[in-house]
Amino acid sequence: MDFDINFARNQFLPFANDPDFVFCSNAGGSYVARQTHQILEEYNRHMRVQPYSGYSPSREAGDAMDRARSLWSEALDISPDELTFGPSTSMNTYVLAQAIGSTLKPGDQIIVTNQDHESNRGAWLRMAKQEGIEVRHWNVEPEFGLLDGKALESLLTEKTRWVFFTHCSNLVGTVNPIQDHVQMIRNFSDARVFVDAVSYAPHYIPSPRSLGVDGYAFSLYKVFGPHQGIMYLDRQTAETMEAQCHDFNVGALAKHFNPAGPLHAEVAASAGVLDYFIDLHKHHFGQTSQDLRAKLDDLHTLTETHESHLAHTVLGCLTECPDVRVLGKQTVENNDRVCTVAFKHNQRSSSDICADLQNLGIGCESGNFYAYHLVEDLGVDPEDGFVRISLVHYNNQEELDRIVSALQQILG
Ligand SMILES: Cc1ncc(COP(=O)(O)O)c(C=O)c1O
């Protein structure tokens, strides 16, 4: 079956409003689907009151929030109370660090990477300092920024309590083989595993249980949704930790990692992401009785060839440009690379190149993208960093051609 990209693009208003602009900063924040806007607008017009009371707008508000929790737990194939809605992934990891900290004791070890965005690094380092925990560093090789599974093996001991890494770095773009890493962690330690999926989820939302991880987090504002973080924590793991919510809410596991009141409208609008995927599925596969999990898998099969083509083309163009260093794998095989491509010119600053591209109507960005320590460890000034082109399923061939021609014009 062919992916009907025009149907997908018709669900996003900016494509119609600004057809000459080529948006390729999706890893910073994607366009928002019509279905998400619709819920936000409905919520703000009719339900913007304290939810979960008996009067009708309040009841409807609570129902809309419950609908989002129920749809997302079906999509992830988890129990509804294993899901935390928090304001962002950085806030979710910050809160989780307080909770994990309460379970650790001096002598314990954790493993962090330098491939991660700071939200899956700084929180654990601060936690380790507070609790007197040893930190072991799983570092990338210094040219392409890739993580090697064998290097992980040598860091694991019987004292390792947690391993934190990313499903896909927001600069390196290569998909880490989560199941292989989890298997190795289980073979050599009793550690739990937390994975940051912020840069992976816009391309495919997997079932975290099937990956074997204990925690999995991503941000819906990069997945066509509202500004909202989503975090899965396996029930048994969550129950070992001190709840971070008001003491009278401790009976509800779903509230344990949410010290603040939830963002009501954004939680409700989180369902819009899945409404979009359901519409996309129905358009291609017709009305089916499949559950959401199966529909997400179908959609992945539908869009993966197109997404691989995007990555393959951008990589092909950049790797042929003289004096250009491209991070991550230089090719795409079996969906092991998303189209998040970071590059640096040997002679020119990334901010200059980015400005030139922007002047040609190419909406890319440059900098360290909060993967500050990765950029530094790759030997690049984090203030200038890399230029990043990041595309998702809704970017079409015409946009791809314009990106390639702009890159050729500017990089030679
Ligand atoms: C890979 C990755 N992890 C984590 C984050 C942090 O997400 P949030 O902005 O929701 O805190 C980002 C944000 O850019 C990211 O790209």
Side-chain angles (χ1 to χ4, degrees), residues 110 114 276 382:
I110 61 166
N114 63 350
Y276 164 59

Short mmCIF file of all heavy atoms in Angstrom, two decimals, residues 110 114 276 382:
data_model
loop_
_atom_site.label_atom_id
_atom_site.label_comp_id
_atom_site.label_asym_id
_atom_site.label_seq_id
_atom_site.Cartn_x
_atom_site.Cartn_y
_atom_site.Cartn_z
N ILE A 110 25.12 4.01 38.89
CA ILE A 110 24.22 4.22 37.76
C ILE A 110 25.09 4.45 36.51
O ILE A 110 26.26 4.81 36.63
CB ILE A 110 23.26 5.42 37.95
CG1 ILE A 110 24.05 6.73 38.12
CG2 ILE A 110 22.31 5.21 39.12
CD1 ILE A 110 23.20 7.99 37.98
N ASN A 114 26.88 10.17 27.28
CA ASN A 114 27.09 11.55 26.83
C ASN A 114 26.41 11.77 25.47
O ASN A 114 26.61 12.79 24.83
CB ASN A 114 28.58 11.93 26.77
CG ASN A 114 29.34 11.10 25.76
OD1 ASN A 114 28.83 10.12 25.23
ND2 ASN A 114 30.59 11.49 25.49
N TYR A 276 -5.34 11.61 15.31
CA TYR A 276 -4.69 11.79 14.00
C TYR A 276 -4.24 10.44 13.44
O TYR A 276 -4.52 10.11 12.28
CB TYR A 276 -3.50 12.76 14.13
CG TYR A 276 -2.56 12.73 12.95
CD1 TYR A 276 -3.02 13.02 11.66
CD2 TYR A 276 -1.22 12.38 13.10
CE1 TYR A 276 -2.17 12.95 10.56
CE2 TYR A 276 -0.36 12.32 12.01
CZ TYR A 276 -0.83 12.61 10.74
OH TYR A 276 0.00 12.53 9.65
N PRO A 382 30.19 24.10 21.67
CA PRO A 382 28.74 23.94 21.87
C PRO A 382 27.95 25.22 21.60
O PRO A 382 26.74 25.16 21.38
CB PRO A 382 28.61 23.54 23.35
CG PRO A 382 29.97 23.21 23.81
CD PRO A 382 30.95 23.89 22.91
#
